[in-house]
Amino acid sequence: MKHTCCMLHFNTAFNLCVVSSPEECARDCRDNEEPKNCYYRFHIEFYTTIGPACNYTFLDQCIIGDGFEKTLIPINRQLPGPLIKVCVNDRIIVDVENAASGNEVTLHWHGIFQNGYQYYDGVPYVTQCPIPSSTTFRYDFVVKNSGTHFYHSHISTHMLDGQYGGLIVRDPPSKDPHYQLFDKDEIIIFLSDWMHELSAERFPGWYWHDLGQTAKNILINGLGQATAQITNGSLTEYTVKKGERHRIRLINSFTTVCLAELRIEQHELVVIAQDGANVKPKPVDKIVTSTGERVDFILTANQDVDSYWIQVLGLGECNGTRRVQQFAILQYEGGPTWPTRPQPSYADGESATGVTYNPLESTCDENNTDVCVNQLEGIDVDPDLLNVEPDERHILPFWFFNYTRYDDKILFGSDTYRTFIDVNDFSQIISTFNEIAYESPASPLLTEPRSYRTVCKKNVQNSCTEPCTCAQVINTKLNNIVELIIYDAVRVEDLHHPFHLHGYEFKVFTIGQFLSSKNISRANIDEVIKQHTERLEKGEYKNPPGKDTVKIPMGGYVIIRFKANNPGWWLLHCHFTWHHITGMELVIHVGDRNDLPPVPYGFPECSNWTPALHTLNNFYGIRYP
Ligand SMILES: *[C@@H]1O[C@H](CO)[C@@H](O)[C@H](O)[C@H]1NC(C)=O
Ligand SMILES: *[C@@H]1O[C@H](CO)[C@@H](O)[C@H](O)[C@H]1NC(C)=O
Ligand SMILES: *[C@@H]1O[C@H](CO)[C@@H](O)[C@H](O)[C@H]1NC(C)=O
Ligand SMILES: *[C@@H]1O[C@H](CO)[C@@H](O)[C@H](O)[C@H]1NC(C)=O
Ligand SMILES: *[C@@H]1O[C@H](CO)[C@@H](O)[C@H](O)[C@H]1NC(C)=O
Ligand SMILES: *[C@@H]1O[C@H](CO)[C@@H](O)[C@H](O)[C@H]1NC(C)=O
Ligand SMILES: [Cu+2]
């Protein structure tokens, strides 16, 4: 692996460089250290849990999951996939070998800005062609922003089939404002949701039994109990030493609409970063996350030498009849391997008192007893972001287009094959964002920008009837201050959609919720903007915190801002898999072609191929009249 030749992209010359292994890269980060070239090989194939590898003592390729036998499409026969742990400014090279015959792959490096490496963001038909099976695609980028990130499949529903893993980018001591607050930085709590069949079974979904896409289980670092029964060995155990302060990195890699609430018996959790953005420390008792969100917190092992339950409750739809929950164990060195107290029930977790970070329902104003993500204090803010008027403001409602309300001919008319999902109330829906359901073009927008229909807004393009579908693009000027107001126009019980922006960290200014169950009108939003403007005029926003994924409360809204200083084609989408693949996404196009690095030499292309009919006929010498 070491001392290999490799080529730096965007560089015409060949550069000799040393490639380091994952272990060499997962070093302590030091000031003034040479960055490393970190190489990973990701092999993707169909596989099963509790398979024959689990019979041998060397368990490297044994995936247990929750002990239920099922097919998955993991990376390197691991769940979660291999951990990428590097220092800021390292270069990450990942060769993705797609051996899952019949399935395409792309991987998104969630949280990495990719400024200068726009071709490696992993969004199919936006930044690259999907990786066909039996081919290898090399992701190759330098990470310039630190934090707790992760990677996951960005195509179809494959994220649920086990294609994800942690991506931790650490700062050297002088760059980490919280460096003095912890002794150890080793624990990762990686949360994923789980079903007992391949995800494809649930897209569009079943109609007669077990409707919808609700998760069956939750896994913590790929492990969990299948039922209420306690089985030793199937839970993740974290070991700490009494007195130590741990920086714990929590990653939510769910795919369904369930959210997760984490609590660690008898321990306070001090939040220090969200989605890789540092914040002033804030002690809380419970941490709620939705898919795409990450939280770094400090846990001080200051309780009796013992074992403690780490309890994760599934919220939203997972808090229905099933009350899905999962456990891991925090074990103090010298303490028992298993907690002496009984395993808490869902109701025990629910009734545990204390302050909740990122609560589901909250007004997020000064009277809030919980802590909304906009109520943490950032470490630094670009003063331009506090301008009263942004350079651009985009008001973006989202809702579901419900085919079932209309004549069935819209969905099942002859010769129309519209995308839909079957949801748990027997209706068929697609998802719209800014009044359009996103539809992929046939070639990546980044490399083939002419391939999309430029005008596709309802009422503007005559041919676009409701539901309007197209590759929706919002053009933005490089370096503009951009404000987005994203709102849940038609509230649906239990849904709190998390929106993720690629390529950026934004600042969260306001989160709010309308308490009535009425639809949110544009007039409601105008009132919200008025109050927001007043707050800006009075200088009431001091240091809005950063994030890259933010959950919009049911029937609520968020106001976020960012400086558009990263040129490229960046997806903005609901991170619930079934929502974004049915249209709840759009592309923010920043700058133009001249602002981007050249397309890497030999970069794969894809497109439709429907040649004129006479081409073939000319070749064979056949003529039509
Ligand atoms: C694998 O393990 C199971 C359960 O212990 C056992 O019944 C089976 O015989 C083993 N198979 C092989 C091939 O060793
Ligand atoms: C789990 O392990 C502990 C300690 O070894 C033991 O006391 C307990 O009975 C085990 N529980 C089960 C369900 O096997
Ligand atoms: C579960 O749902 C019930 C009923 O809506 C609610 O009262 C309770 O607070 C929810 N639990 C959690 C942990 O969100
Ligand atoms: C907070 O509570 C106080 C006292 O009840 C009330 O006067 C004030 O209007 C509340 N603030 C908001 C934003 O609702
Ligand atoms: C869709 O419309 C049907 C028929 O009006 C209704 O029963 C169902 O609740 C709606 N579903 C959603 C998700 O809005
Ligand atoms: C809310 O909006 C949905 C979708 O546009 C519509 O079907 C429904 O009738 C509206 N409800 C009310 C109360 O206006
Ligand atoms: Cu959504």
Side-chain angles (χ1 to χ4, degrees), residues 330-344:
L330 181 77
Q331 190 203 350
Y332 280 49
E333 257 181 51
T337 52
W338 204 252
T340 43
R341 287 164 308 286
Q343 193 175 41

Side-chain angles (χ1 to χ4, degrees), residues 229-233 336-338:
Q229 202 169 4
I230 302 171
T231 50
N232 275 354
T337 52
W338 204 252

Side-chain angles (χ1 to χ4, degrees), residues 282-297:
K282 185 86 183 175
V284 300
D285 303 288
K286 301 174 177 184
I287 294 180
V288 173
T289 51
S290 52
T291 168
E293 294 185 303
R294 293 91 67 207
V295 180
D296 290 32
F297 62 89

Side-chain angles (χ1 to χ4, degrees), residues 212-285:
Q213 290 82 22
T214 308
K216 275 279 177 356
N217 206 347
I218 293 169
L219 302 180
I220 303 178
N221 282 18
L223 293 174
Q225 295 162 187
T227 62
Q229 202 169 4
I230 302 171
T231 50
N232 275 354
S234 67
L235 299 185
T236 300
E237 292 173 28
Y238 300 99
T239 312
V240 298
K241 217 186 240 154
K242 184 165 166 97
E244 270 174 355
R245 298 164 308 161
H246 284 259
R247 176 185 196 138
I248 298 188
R249 298 171 181 270
L250 172 68
I251 299 170
N252 185 319
S253 182
F254 279 27
T255 58
T256 67
V257 300
C258 295
L259 300 93
E261 179 180 288
L262 174 123
R263 157 183 100 87
I264 303 181
E265 272 188 327
Q266 297 179 33
H267 288 81
E268 186 182 70
L269 318 171
V270 181
V271 174
I272 56 167
Q274 42 182 15
D275 302 352
N278 290 311
V279 291
K280 302 250 169 84
K282 185 86 183 175
V284 300
D285 303 288

Side-chain angles (χ1 to χ4, degrees), residues 593-625:
R593 185 68 247 174
N594 300 332
D595 301 316
L596 290 168
V599 181
Y601 178 75
F603 200 69
E605 293 178 357
C606 50
S607 183
N608 294 324
W609 193 67
T610 50
L613 288 173
H614 62 77
T615 315
L616 191 65
N617 299 336
N618 286 350
F619 181 79
Y620 289 108
I622 303 165
R623 278 188 175 281
Y624 279 106

